[in-house]
Amino acid sequence: ACVFDAGGQILGTVGVLRDLTEQVATQRRLIQREKLASLGEMAAGMAHEIRNPLGGIKMATNLLSSGAVDDRRISQEMAQSIMSGIAEIEAIIADLLDYARETRLECQEYALGRVLAPVVEASTAEAARRGVRVEAVRLDDELVAAVDGPRLRQVFANVVKNAVEAAERTPDARVTVTLYRRHAAAVIEIVDNGVGIEPEHREKIFLPFYTTKPTGTGLGMAIVKKIMDLHGGEIDIDSVPGRGTTVRLVIPRSPVPAAVEVG
């Protein structure tokens, strides 16, 4: 601040200096603590997911090595159980690497309906076996956006798979997929009439290894959010427990760089 004399002339200035060293150090400690807590949660989640198939592998291996199983058919079943457990662990590791690794988008102009249609078609047969009807209500074939097609297809597949699993065992179980324009964005809407999401779970579904399902790694929606963030998109979720869930994937239609690299 300036200091003036009686005639209004500036005599000098007065300033106040504050030492923020301790405040900055405290903020850094808090950030580090949050990072460690997040890492701890991820490690605990991964350990839990891997421990389950490892338990089955250990039990089958012990039985085979003990010589207690002399029935060839049972031995083959045990060996198959071991292979299934290994495949499950490999899937967990693959999902974790996909989530953690540096991701580079290769974007080009895609008709979003053509990206989405194969996902709907591929999920129809598996959903039918679960008693769920999957249908595309409206897919705008002329709706174009600059996206990474394979990555975006991965997003669609994850969300549709979750919707099918949520609707399973529901009377008249169904999942509907719609693609439409909203201002300068494209919206992919996936609606199911399944169990819905409880409010206390809604904010956690994008956390790595967080899941309320008996199977799955809990990384699917974390990967979905990562890919959508890279595209500059948004995910809106409306859900009513016992009535179903609506997921809206909002993707900007404005051109984006041909290659976007994010760590």
Side-chain angles (χ1 to χ4, degrees):
C2 295
V3 178
F4 301 91
D5 62 14
Q9 298 296 316
I10 296 177
L11 296 177
T13 58
V14 176
V16 178
L17 299 178
R18 295 176 59 192
D19 186 352
L20 299 178
T21 303
E22 184 59 32
Q23 182 178 341
V24 171
T26 300
Q27 289 176 340
R28 286 177 176 172
R29 285 195 294 269
L30 288 173
I31 292 172
Q32 183 66 15
R33 191 176 302 167
E34 289 175 358
K35 287 182 178 179
L36 289 174
S38 177
L39 182 61
E41 290 178 4
M42 183 178 293
M46 185 175 183
H48 173 74
E49 293 298 331
I50 290 179
R51 187 179 291 118
N52 290 334
L54 272 181
I57 292 172
K58 182 178 180 180
M59 182 177 68
T61 303
N62 286 340
L63 283 172
L64 288 174
S65 62
S66 69
V69 179
D70 54 6
D71 187 304
R72 180 176 177 80
R73 181 182 60 81
I74 296 177
S75 296
Q76 289 177 337
E77 289 177 356
M78 292 292 179
Q80 183 59 46
S81 174
I82 292 172
M83 295 303 297
S84 296
I86 292 172
E88 188 175 344
I89 292 173
E90 287 177 337
I92 293 169
I93 293 172
D95 280 350
L96 179 61
L97 290 175
D98 193 22
Y99 174 74
R101 70 163 57 99
E102 182 179 60
T103 301
R104 182 179 178 85
L105 295 185
E106 298 293 340
C107 294
Q108 56 182 304
E109 295 289 324
Y110 276 92
L112 294 179
R114 296 181 182 178
V115 177
L116 183 55
V119 174
V120 176
E121 184 178 349
S123 64
T124 300
E126 174 60 26
R129 283 193 288 271
R130 294 170 174 257
V132 182
R133 185 174 74 256
V134 177
E135 56 183 353
V137 177
R138 185 176 73 252
L139 299 183
D140 188 341
D141 288 336
E142 297 181 358
L143 193 49
V144 175
V147 298
D148 185 321
R151 286 287 183 182
L152 206 57
R153 195 172 287 119
Q154 182 182 4
V155 167
F156 298 157
N158 265 304
V159 177
V160 171
K161 177 176 179 288
N162 283 348
V164 169
E165 291 175 351
E168 190 176 8
R169 301 187 186 88
T170 299
D172 189 29
R174 64 187 182 278
V175 174
T176 58
V177 182
T178 310
L179 169 63
Y180 58 90
R181 304 167 191 262
R182 189 170 74 186
H183 306 302
V187 181
I188 299 93
E189 189 172 274
I190 298 98
V191 182
D192 69 70
N193 63 340
V195 295
I197 305 171
E198 296 292 340
E200 61 267 26
H201 298 309
R202 206 167 300 170
E203 294 183 0
K204 300 178 181 179
I205 61 176
F206 297 117
L207 296 177
F209 293 109
Y210 184 83
T211 180
T212 59
K213 296 183 293 186
T215 60
T217 64
L219 282 169
M221 290 305 290
I223 293 172
V224 163
K225 187 175 189 310
K226 178 181 178 180
I227 295 173
M228 287 296 292
D229 286 347
L230 290 174
H231 281 89
E234 299 176 1
I235 308 173
D236 297 329
I237 298 178
D238 294 326
S239 187
V240 179
R243 295 183 59 183
T245 300
T246 298
V247 178
R248 296 181 190 88
L249 305 171
V250 184
I251 301 170
R253 296 177 58 221
S254 55
V256 298
V260 181
E261 190 169 341
V262 177

